[in-house]
Amino acid sequence: MLSQQEARKEETRTKILGAAMWAIRTKGFAATTVDDICRHAGVTKGAFFHHFPSKDSMAEAAAEFFGDFANKLFGSAPFQSEQDPFDRFMGYLEFRREILQGTTAEFTCLLGTMVQEVHLSHPDIREACQQSIWGHVETITPMVAEAKAKYAPTAVWTPESLALHVQAVLQGAFIMAKASQKPETAIESMDHLIRYVEFLFSENQENRS
Amino acid sequence: MLSQQEARKEETRTKILGAAMWAIRTKGFAATTVDDICRHAGVTKGAFFHHFPSKDSMAEAAAEFFGDFANKLFGSAPFQSEQDPFDRFMGYLEFRREILQGTTAEFTCLLGTMVQEVHLSHPDIREACQQSIWGHVETITPMVAEAKAKYAPTAVWTPESLALHVQAVLQGAFIMAKASQKPETAIESMDHLIRYVEFLFSENQENRS
DNA sequence: GGGATAACATACCGACCAGTTGGTATTTAT
DNA sequence: ATAAATACCAACTGGTCGGTATGTTATCCC
């Protein structure tokens, strides 16, 4: 049971992290100022530093926040009710393709954006980003593993490497969409990825041990 | 014929752009200061602003510089002498996998790093990055088109979309390598990509019109 | 060789930014 | 009811950064 105070604190914290998420996705981590975040969140700087000891540690929290946000989004998506593991995996991929709409800041990944900037200069933030990305991979690897056991048990690739590859393609697709300012560029990459996965689970492939 | 002065100017300019390339790949664009670049290039701030009117316009030049650098690297790589277009394309992919070694700053792409940060805030830099990326794609699309004409003439995908997909996978692989601090993560994605391309040009695929 | 110009160098400035300080309002515990 | 603690606020600070103003030196052209 949350007290009135605790509930309010949590709300403010969420407002800050949400604003940070938006700002970092549009401008990058280094270019977003604490004042930017406060302005968007509708709080003062005092509140910000009451909740987080530094901008950097807020970024760590934002990485975790975004990871939880994403896992909730995909965890409650319609494809999860598919019975067959391959159908579920394909549903995941098609769902990820479908949400490539609107502005880049809306469908783009905070973790990829941030880790790219800070991977050498801010070890703690990098670590937090990796945790969140690999945490998401852990939620989809079982699905891939089940599908593999059923449809491609002798294939040479591992379920985890495929799950990681999916994330890599998405991250790359985001960059290409940002460069071209067209979500279509990202969608076309997802089409290639989906074609690849269909091949991996089809019967006439040759990559067996 | 370059005069002594012009040659020296070009050299200093190159030193600055080289230093910028290194700094931006390790820290990102916003976090690298003009002083950083000058220190690494061994020039003073006066020299920097003699060559470039602003940090932003230097970034545009750096994007072009990196694009030329990459095209020279791949243009003179051994795989270019392969006769068969498919072999040449596979040689390109394997070459790109092979150079995924050393520190992330060494094999990573300046354009992807920079465009991610500035795509909304600095339209001119974004444009320059897109030009360089798409410029590289233009150099490999003919190779893909030839290979397709020879081995997969009726396939539904276009050569350009595949060339773009290759860049997307690489960009994503870079991000994953940065997040995990292991080049192997990127290499595994390249393995999946290579397997996909082999499939596209094999005979038993089903994606024909 | 000398005047013009391009290629640097140094010292500095105003704006900005992460973080602090010292306080107030609200909630909680007794 | 009241004291303690928590949540929040506004003004300020020390340092940093992009850019400039003002030299100084090397090269070029005649």
Side-chain angles (χ1 to χ4, degrees):
Chain A
M1 186 64 188
L2 290 180
S3 71
Q4 195 176 339
Q5 209 171 71
E6 283 166 332
R8 196 169 162 195
K9 177 166 189 178
E10 192 58 31
E11 193 191 323
T12 306
R13 189 186 137 97
T14 302
K15 271 200 296 186
I16 292 173
L17 291 176
M21 212 172 97
W22 187 88
I24 296 172
R25 288 206 281 184
T26 63
K27 305 169 62 174
F29 173 68
T32 78
T33 70
V34 172
D35 285 313
D36 276 339
I37 296 168
C38 293
R39 208 173 306 125
H40 253 94
V43 305
T44 64
K45 224 167 176 177
F48 181 98
F49 284 99
H50 175 72
H51 286 268
F52 304 100
S54 68
K55 186 191 174 189
D56 287 8
S57 84
M58 184 279 300
E60 292 176 50
E64 197 187 334
F65 180 78
F66 185 84
D68 293 346
F69 168 81
N71 282 336
K72 268 172 212 153
L73 176 66
F74 299 122
S76 64
F79 68 83
Q80 295 283 7
S81 54
E82 293 283 351
Q83 293 299 316
D84 187 81
F86 172 72
D87 291 342
R88 208 153 68 245
F89 185 31
M90 290 303 295
Y92 168 76
L93 293 175
E94 271 151 27
F95 182 70
R96 296 224 60 167
R97 181 180 56 185
E98 275 165 28
I99 58 180
L100 298 176
Q101 285 178 6
T103 69
T104 40
E106 280 163 27
F107 63 76
T108 260
C109 177
L110 170 73
L111 305 168
T113 305
M114 202 157 63
V115 81
Q116 177 109 289
E117 276 185 80
V118 305
H119 73 290
L120 284 177
S121 47
H122 299 70
D124 293 342
I125 303 178
R126 194 222 97 239
E127 171 78 15
C129 290
Q130 183 183 7
Q131 291 281 341
S132 278
I133 297 174
W134 265 248
H136 176 62
V137 166
E138 269 173 35
T139 69
I140 70 163
T141 299
M143 189 160 75
V144 180
E146 275 183 64
K148 191 193 175 214
K150 190 165 176 185
Y151 296 107
T154 61
V156 295
W157 46 271
T158 68
E160 203 203 359
S161 85
L162 182 56
L164 282 167
H165 178 60
V166 170
Q167 304 312 311
V169 173
L170 280 161
Q171 294 295 344
F174 294 153
I175 290 187
M176 300 297 282
K178 285 177 182 173
S180 65
Q181 300 203 301
K182 285 182 194 157
E184 292 81 35
T185 317
I187 293 172
E188 283 187 40
S189 250
M190 282 306 288
D191 287 339
H192 280 288
L193 176 64
I194 289 170
R195 187 178 295 117
Y196 173 56
V197 172
E198 278 170 346
F199 157 67
L200 286 183
F201 292 98
S202 70
E203 300 195 352
N204 60 346
Q205 59 152 305
E206 294 153 345
N207 299 281
R208 308 289 163 144
S209 60
Chain B
M1 185 64 190
L2 288 180
S3 71
Q4 197 176 338
Q5 208 172 73
E6 283 166 333
R8 197 171 162 192
K9 177 165 188 177
E10 191 59 30
E11 194 192 322
T12 305
R13 188 186 137 96
T14 302
K15 272 200 296 186
I16 292 173
L17 291 176
M21 213 171 96
W22 186 86
I24 296 172
R25 287 206 281 183
T26 64
K27 305 169 59 172
F29 174 69
T32 79
T33 70
V34 173
D35 286 314
D36 276 339
I37 296 168
C38 293
R39 208 174 305 123
H40 252 94
V43 304
T44 62
K45 222 168 178 177
F48 182 98
F49 284 101
H50 177 71
H51 286 269
F52 304 101
S54 69
K55 185 192 176 190
D56 288 7
S57 84
M58 185 280 299
E60 292 176 49
E64 195 187 335
F65 179 78
F66 185 85
D68 293 347
F69 168 82
N71 282 336
K72 269 172 210 153
L73 177 67
F74 299 121
S76 65
F79 69 82
Q80 293 286 5
S81 54
E82 293 282 350
Q83 293 298 317
D84 188 82
F86 172 71
D87 291 342
R88 211 155 63 244
F89 185 31
M90 289 304 294
Y92 168 77
L93 293 175
E94 272 152 25
F95 182 70
R96 297 223 61 168
R97 181 181 54 185
E98 275 166 29
I99 58 178
L100 297 176
Q101 285 178 7
T103 69
T104 40
E106 280 164 28
F107 62 75
T108 259
C109 177
L110 170 74
L111 305 168
T113 305
M114 201 158 63
V115 80
Q116 178 110 291
E117 276 186 79
V118 305
H119 73 291
L120 284 176
S121 48
H122 300 70
D124 294 342
I125 303 178
R126 195 222 95 238
E127 171 78 17
C129 290
Q130 183 182 8
Q131 290 281 339
S132 278
I133 297 173
W134 264 248
H136 176 62
V137 167
E138 270 174 35
T139 70
I140 69 164
T141 300
M143 189 160 75
V144 181
E146 274 183 64
K148 192 195 174 210
K150 192 166 174 184
Y151 295 105
T154 60
V156 294
W157 46 271
T158 68
E160 204 204 358
S161 86
L162 181 55
L164 282 167
H165 178 60
V166 169
Q167 304 312 312
V169 172
L170 280 161
Q171 295 295 344
F174 295 151
I175 290 187
M176 300 298 282
K178 286 177 182 174
S180 65
Q181 298 203 302
K182 286 182 192 155
E184 293 80 39
T185 318
I187 292 172
E188 283 186 40
S189 250
M190 282 306 288
D191 288 338
H192 280 289
L193 177 63
I194 288 170
R195 187 179 295 117
Y196 173 55
V197 172
E198 278 170 346
F199 157 66
L200 287 183
F201 291 99
S202 70
E203 298 195 351
N204 61 345
Q205 62 151 304
E206 295 153 344
N207 299 281
R208 309 287 163 144
S209 60

